[in-house]
Amino acid sequence: MRRFMFSCALAAIGASALVPTPAAAAPRPAPVPVTDAVTAKLLGQAGTATARGAGADRTRVTVTRTEGRWAFGTAVLLADRSADAHPTGSVFLARSDAKGWTVAFDGEASFGDLAAASPLVSGNEKAVLTTPVTPMYAGGDYRTGMALPFAVGQTWTLTGGPHGWGGGAPLSSIDLSGGDQVVRAARAGTAYTMCTGWIRVIHDRGYSTDYYHLWSSISVNGAAVGQGAYLGYTGTDVTCGGSATGRHVHFGLRQNSAYVPIAGHGIGKWDIVGGAAYQGGARHGSAYVGVGGGLYNYGALGFNQGVVDANGGGSLTRRSGPGSGYGALGSLADGATVTISCSASGSSHTGRYGTTALWDRLTDGSWVSDAYLSTGVNGPINGWC
């Protein structure tokens, strides 16, 4: 019996000796720096073969604000110092949790969600950055509410027609120079310095505008700017890459986090007209200006306004009702700006952009055919009468 008990005791000792001691918990890996997370997203979204082949050494991530688990800043993919090359980049918001960083770029739906919750975003910024993302071109709506990026009343030279921001399509940008050489915000919004010589202004309705090659540009980190606010002087700055022959501003149009074709959009009461890269021009009423010509800045076209395009000059007859059978009440000069109160169906007419039976009632009570108005929208722009 004693031998049995001793054997059991030995067995118990042996068993306990074989039980592994609990392993110490593995140390939690250090969180990835926010700059690495932003860089990975930037490179992952690069849209050109050159950009996709770039490494982290071709990026510039600048964290301008931090608080707790939040970070805010700019992310730029540098360009080669070659013709047709321009840097690309975004304003970013990032929030960390146990899984890592969630990063969003301006124009993305998730960017607006983060902006609404972030303590880093001011009230003025929230009003713009949380604007709901709309369908590209707002579902066929090409209105921008923008002036040209210089003082209203000045005439500048269109030195380059629609061409790409980062080379190739989309032809999102035009080059402008002249006047007092002061570059101004095309529409109110919040402004950010992407790099020396490059300012981005984020507007409502998903739009933003880029201004590159600037000299003496402002240094901003979310400042509210009004339409016409000073951004810098035309120049030849290529701090972040590209090239510039002769001082000018490279003006680019973005919507929903991507560059979009600038042709078809109304800016400064001109409809930008496309063509081969650096060709094309702009049209105000029936007047067309090509590369090398002067663009007068008429200011922004209101969202309930149109520019008379008599499709060849002359004038547009105002009627007492929505059709050519109604009495004439006078006429409007080609290029005139009108304000529309509502629209209705009437007699059919063919203008520059096609045939329509839509008629617009103006604020003075007279009617004109929508076929002879440039409004930026195919359809009523201020409701039905």
Side-chain angles (χ1 to χ4, degrees):
M1 176 67 79
R2 293 181 64 182
R3 179 182 293 177
F4 176 74
M5 292 178 63
F6 181 71
S7 298
C8 289
L10 287 176
I13 294 171
S16 65
L18 294 174
V19 175
T21 58
R28 179 177 294 178
V32 173
V34 65
T35 52
D36 289 354
V38 174
T39 298
K41 181 178 176 72
L42 180 66
L43 292 175
Q45 291 191 353
T48 65
T50 300
R52 286 194 297 269
D57 60 324
R58 299 293 295 164
T59 64
R60 180 178 296 168
V61 176
T62 304
V63 179
T64 57
R65 310 174 209 169
T66 60
E67 181 178 326
R69 58 197 181 104
W70 292 89
F72 189 103
T74 57
V76 174
L77 185 64
L78 306 179
D80 294 330
R81 297 292 181 90
S82 60
D84 297 329
H86 288 84
T88 57
S90 298
V91 177
F92 76 84
L93 251 174
R95 179 178 59 192
S96 66
D97 56 26
K99 297 180 180 179
W101 288 97
T102 297
V103 179
F105 288 162
D106 65 275
E108 297 176 337
S110 55
F111 185 86
D113 295 339
L114 288 179
S118 176
L120 301 177
V121 179
S122 69
N124 286 333
E125 288 176 292
K126 286 183 191 292
V128 175
L129 303 184
T130 60
T131 300
V133 174
T134 56
M136 197 65 78
Y137 317 122
D141 184 345
Y142 287 77
R143 294 173 294 178
T144 66
M146 296 179 190
L148 285 163
F150 52 88
V152 173
Q154 288 192 7
T155 298
W156 283 29
T157 301
L158 179 69
T159 57
H163 55 283
W165 179 270
L171 306 185
S172 61
S173 311
I174 56 176
D175 293 336
L176 296 158
S177 184
D180 60 4
Q181 304 288 359
V182 175
V183 178
R184 300 181 181 276
R187 182 167 171 79
T190 58
Y192 302 87
T193 298
M194 304 300 292
C195 68
T196 301
W198 177 13
I199 302 295
R200 172 168 297 167
V201 180
I202 299 178
H203 314 285
D204 54 7
R205 304 178 74 246
Y207 283 112
S208 60
T209 47
D210 280 3
Y211 311 75
Y212 192 40
H213 303 314
L214 304 183
W215 286 339
S216 301
S217 58
I218 58 176
S219 178
V220 279
N221 179 19
V225 295
Q227 189 170 70
Y230 170 89
L231 301 179
Y233 286 95
T234 60
T236 58
D237 188 278
V238 289
T239 299
C240 284
S243 66
T245 302
R247 62 184 298 184
H248 66 280
V249 59
H250 182 84
F251 174 72
L253 182 67
R254 292 166 55 89
Q255 190 179 24
N256 297 356
S257 79
Y259 292 101
V260 294
I262 196 169
H265 288 88
I267 300 175
K269 297 187 181 179
W270 293 85
D271 290 335
I272 307 301
V273 179
Y278 291 95
Q279 302 304 306
R283 178 176 284 109
H284 174 79
S286 295
Y288 177 82
V289 172
V291 174
L295 297 184
Y296 179 85
N297 191 359
Y298 294 94
L301 185 69
F303 290 107
N304 62 341
Q305 293 184 319
V307 175
V308 174
D309 181 350
N311 196 16
S315 59
L316 175 63
T317 301
R318 296 186 296 113
R319 300 283 179 178
S320 60
S324 55
Y326 289 86
L329 298 177
S331 62
L332 295 164
D334 185 79
T337 299
V338 297
T339 302
I340 299 164
S341 59
C342 57
S343 302
S345 295
S347 56
S348 181
H349 297 271
T350 300
R352 186 179 306 281
Y353 301 108
T355 301
T356 181
L358 189 71
W359 281 69
D360 300 314
R361 187 172 74 185
L362 308 184
T363 51
D364 65 0
S366 65
W367 293 78
V368 294
S369 169
D370 192 73
Y372 303 106
L373 291 183
S374 173
T375 63
V377 182
N378 283 325
I381 69 169
N382 204 21
W384 294 96
C385 296

